[in-house]
Amino acid sequence: MISCKTPRELDIMREAGRIVALTHQELERNIRPGITTGELDKIADDFIRSMDAIPSFKGYNGFRGSICVSVNEELVHGIPGDRVLDEGDIISIDIGAKYQGYHGDSAWTYPVGTVDDKTLDLLKVTETSLFKGLDEAIPGERLSNISHAIQSYAESKGYSIVREYVGHGVGKELHEDPQIPHYGPPNKGPRLKPGMVLAVEPMVNAGTRYVKTLPDRWTVVTKDGKMCAHFEHTIAITEEGYEVLTKS
């Protein structure tokens, strides 16, 4: 069942989203060759708690980190640890923060030092595909218009959309209804209503769309070993369109 948040709930979720956005900014300042993913996790954990929030992912279904950190061919759910970032890597960081009982959720993919033009294009296309989808977040329109716009744009640029993982509603629970695929035909699914809060998060591969989960049972990688990217915002549907909640 899809819930519509009250104005009071949206105020709390704006603060949860702001904390997530500020955490991304704090981590971006620290992303550099030589730092470990575990060190980034510690920075995020400390920062989120300093804002009177708690990391949404810590302990979620047994996840060990406070953030998900996925490098290069790793798509999502990477576990922070001893891995050292190298010049030319890319790192996808997924951050959730729970504030006064409500979650904010956002992911971004960052270059580490200087990366090649091909990789930069992957990041640019994935980020743009997110906003192409959000352009369709219009009250009264169908949910799948978001999905279709993301797929159409990414595939028109020669990239592949991952289909095994989807966006989702957000609120008191980190994952709520509805599920939001990032592919599919337009004009399907529920109609968007003011007060709905959605996490839209296209995952785009440089090669084929196929992925697999590593033996750690968390880290998802591209089957062909090629680069991938992940961009996500939490938004609220408004009377006029949408509002990004995960912004500072």
Side-chain angles (χ1 to χ4, degrees), residues 61-222:
N61 291 333
F63 189 74
R64 299 196 301 272
S66 294
I67 57 174
C68 297
V69 283
S70 307
V71 181
N72 295 337
E73 78 284 357
E74 297 173 351
L75 178 70
V76 288
H77 306 158
I79 304 170
D82 296 332
R83 181 165 184 171
V84 177
L85 298 185
D86 293 325
E87 183 85 14
D89 286 342
I90 57 174
I91 181 170
S92 297
I93 299 179
D94 197 351
I95 301 173
K98 187 177 183 180
Y99 176 77
Q100 293 186 10
Y102 291 83
H103 296 272
D105 188 9
S106 174
W108 224 250
T109 304
Y110 301 96
V112 181
T114 301
V115 303
D116 60 49
D117 289 344
K118 186 176 180 180
T119 303
L120 285 176
D121 187 69
L122 169 65
L123 270 57
K124 179 181 178 182
V125 168
T126 308
E127 181 179 357
T128 302
S129 76
L130 168 62
F131 287 98
K132 292 289 185 181
L134 297 186
D135 285 344
E136 302 299 323
I138 301 166
E141 297 297 324
R142 297 285 188 181
L143 179 67
S144 78
N145 290 355
I146 296 173
S147 311
H148 182 72
I150 289 170
Q151 180 183 19
S152 297
Y153 181 77
E155 291 183 351
S156 76
K157 298 299 182 179
Y159 295 101
S160 302
I161 289 286
V162 173
R163 302 191 180 198
E164 287 80 359
Y165 300 91
V166 298
H168 50 91
V170 188
K172 288 184 177 180
E173 301 296 331
L174 182 58
H175 297 102
E176 298 183 351
D177 289 335
Q179 292 192 345
I180 309 167
H182 303 109
Y183 67 95
N187 302 313
K188 303 290 184 182
R191 293 195 183 277
L192 300 176
K193 297 179 181 179
M196 288 182 176
V197 178
L198 311 172
V200 181
E201 49 178 320
M203 303 170 198
V204 176
N205 292 349
T208 69
R209 70 174 182 85
Y210 299 103
V211 297
K212 63 181 181 180
T213 303
L214 295 183
D216 65 19
R217 298 192 298 175
W218 281 104
T219 309
V220 177
V221 300
T222 57

Side-chain angles (χ1 to χ4, degrees), residues 8-23 47-57 95-105 170-174 245:
R8 175 186 171 276
E9 288 176 310
L10 288 174
D11 282 343
I12 296 172
M13 295 194 73
R14 286 187 186 95
E15 181 61 16
R18 188 181 77 91
I19 292 167
V20 168
L22 291 173
T23 307
F47 186 86
I48 291 169
R49 295 182 192 278
S50 77
M51 301 294 287
D52 295 322
I54 59 173
S56 299
F57 304 157
I95 301 173
K98 187 177 183 180
Y99 176 77
Q100 293 186 10
Y102 291 83
H103 296 272
D105 188 9
V170 188
K172 288 184 177 180
E173 301 296 331
L174 182 58
L245 301 183

